[in-house]
Amino acid sequence: MRKKILWVWIVWACAGISLVPGTVWSLTDDEKNNIELYEKLSRGVVNITSTVLERDFFFNIVPRQGAGSGSVIDERGYILTNHHVIEDARKLEVTLFSGKKYPAKFIGSDPNSDIAVLKIDAPKKDLTVIPMGSSKDLKVGQKVLAIGNPFGLGQTLTTGVVSSVGRTLRAPGGALVEDVIQTDASINPGNSGGPLIDSSGFMIGVNTAIFSPTGANVGIGFAIPIDTVKQVVKELIEKGSYGYPWIGATLMTLSPGLADALQLSVSKGAMIVELVPGGPADKAGLKGGKTRAQVGNYILVVGGDIIVGVDGTAVDSTEDFMRVLRRYRPGDKVTLDVVHWEGSRDRMTVVLGERPQGYRMR
């Protein structure tokens, strides 16, 4: 009997089961890091409630509430979140970790990066700022943590790794956001706008979307990189909007198949379909389409210049061109490598304008 009891004791001990009431086995270094970061930074994550007016089945106007997350980024009360969290909201309310609620003032948003900034008038002692890091040198496999309010359940921590970097995501405004972070850390409805944090306690992204056929998390989430956020936030606070460079033209990708059908001398590029009168490209002397041609089942406006390079960087498509253009600011001069419709090549200088508000990327 004694041997049997001793054997059971040894088995339990090897299995890591405590026989002493109140005894807690030591935490791993990774667990300690998770706990430390949550306790330190969760106070800087807020819950955002937005009220939108919509019509019911009988066409009556009724309020509808949505929820999302956000991060305190400044002791003055500035809150960082997603544009889609606050889009069309008539009323905004921020709930701090402590449970205190404050009406929020809309400061500015940028649909093309899905970033928005709000402001609350709260005492500094109630605000915990989440520091911004860098998303430049992220490595696939490094640990990340997401803090937010999924399904309105309050502060929740999920952990995972960077699954991929350099992804491209189409934002609500239609533009492509570059270098998006993919993660397997659970991001569910309500997590949007919350911070993605590295193991050193720095925000490296803003959780923005999940890929799911059911609407629930399946291990593929995305975050806007913090380097993009930092570039946009400053102007949102100062001006309420972010100024994008603009050439004033509608472009279409020239593919090899389309080039063959049109018998062009170049097989790839961004073809100008239409110019905005008086816009930067028009002022620089570029030409838009002038005739219609049927290619397969499509009627296309053709005859415009084809952009194949920007300041020495090759451009194979409209998306390539937009990607390169985002490196510049309104007012900058760029040199475009252009192939004219008849086949001659040219280099033309364009002074970039600022894209008009409400202009949708095409």
Side-chain angles (χ1 to χ4, degrees):
M1 182 67 177
R2 289 182 179 177
K3 289 183 178 180
K4 185 176 181 180
I5 294 174
L6 180 60
W7 174 248
V8 171
W9 175 277
I10 293 172
V11 171
W12 281 353
C14 292
I17 301 174
S18 173
L19 299 181
V20 181
T23 300
V24 179
W25 292 99
S26 60
L27 299 170
T28 66
D29 289 340
D30 189 50
E31 289 172 328
K32 290 178 181 178
N33 180 244
N34 294 342
I35 294 169
E36 179 186 356
L37 292 177
Y38 178 77
E39 292 179 346
K40 178 182 177 182
L41 299 176
S42 61
R43 296 181 179 276
V45 180
V46 304
N47 183 42
I48 299 173
T49 303
S50 61
T51 302
V52 179
L53 298 180
E54 62 181 16
R55 294 186 181 274
D56 63 12
F57 181 79
F58 299 101
F59 298 98
N60 297 312
I61 296 178
V62 295
R64 176 180 59 82
Q65 285 193 333
S69 302
S71 304
V72 178
I73 57 171
D74 190 285
E75 288 184 345
R76 293 171 292 177
Y78 287 108
I79 307 293
L80 173 66
T81 187
N82 284 142
H83 166 79
H84 76 261
V85 169
I86 57 87
E87 187 176 14
D88 298 327
R90 295 297 184 92
K91 180 182 177 182
L92 293 164
E93 184 179 67
V94 167
T95 304
L96 300 182
F97 178 86
S98 63
K100 293 182 179 179
K101 299 179 183 293
Y102 294 91
K105 178 183 177 182
F106 172 76
I107 298 300
S109 71
D110 176 36
N112 291 305
S113 61
D114 199 19
I115 293 299
V117 177
L118 311 177
K119 189 176 188 300
I120 59 173
D121 291 324
K124 287 184 179 181
K125 63 182 180 64
D126 291 341
L127 299 174
T128 299
V129 175
I130 298 184
M132 294 186 185
S134 174
S135 52
K136 180 180 179 182
D137 297 316
L138 295 179
K139 303 295 183 184
V140 173
Q142 76 176 77
K143 187 177 82 170
V144 290
L145 304 91
I147 303 177
N149 298 276
F151 305 105
L153 295 175
Q155 247 70 348
T156 300
L157 171 71
T158 57
T159 63
V161 298
V162 173
S163 304
S164 184
V165 294
R167 294 298 196 199
T168 300
L169 189 69
R170 191 169 295 278
L176 295 175
V177 183
E178 305 296 330
D179 298 323
V180 170
I181 304 163
Q182 181 183 326
T183 177
D184 68 346
S186 294
I187 298 173
N188 288 295
N191 270 117
S192 290
L196 189 69
I197 299 166
D198 66 14
S199 57
S200 298
F202 290 96
M203 188 184 342
I204 57 170
V206 176
N207 299 320
T208 190
I210 60 173
F211 175 80
S212 170
T214 64
N217 181 271
V218 292
I220 303 177
F222 299 100
I224 304 298
I226 202 64
D227 289 350
T228 298
V229 173
K230 288 190 287 189
Q231 183 180 0
V232 172
V233 161
K234 184 178 179 182
E235 278 197 38
L236 292 185
I237 293 175
E238 292 175 353
K239 303 192 318 181
S241 61
Y242 182 72
Y244 282 89
W246 183 63
I247 67 165
T250 300
L251 305 173
M252 181 178 68
T253 295
L254 178 67
S255 63
L258 180 59
D260 286 343
L262 296 174
Q263 298 182 344
L264 298 176
S265 62
V266 62
S267 62
K268 295 180 181 180
M271 185 167 65
I272 298 177
V273 176
E274 184 181 8
L275 293 173
V276 175
D282 187 30
K283 290 180 180 178
L286 277 82
K287 303 298 181 184
K290 52 195 175 186
T291 59
R292 294 180 179 272
Q294 182 170 351
V295 179
N297 294 325
Y298 298 96
I299 302 296
L300 305 177
V301 178
V302 299
D305 291 332
I306 303 158
I307 301 171
V308 296
V310 181
D311 284 343
T313 300
V315 168
D316 290 339
S317 65
T318 297
E319 290 183 356
D320 277 354
F321 177 74
M322 293 300 182
R323 185 179 297 116
V324 174
L325 201 66
R326 279 195 288 272
R327 301 173 188 171
Y328 300 87
R329 302 295 300 132
D332 289 348
K333 290 183 179 181
V334 295
T335 300
L336 303 182
D337 293 318
V338 173
V339 177
H340 297 299
W341 189 254
E342 71 279 4
S344 62
R345 292 179 175 261
D346 203 351
R347 283 194 166 180
M348 308 180 75
T349 300
V350 178
V351 179
L352 299 175
E354 181 173 329
R355 193 175 70 212
Q357 292 296 315
Y359 181 88
R360 189 171 178 85
M361 300 290 288
R362 289 183 291 176

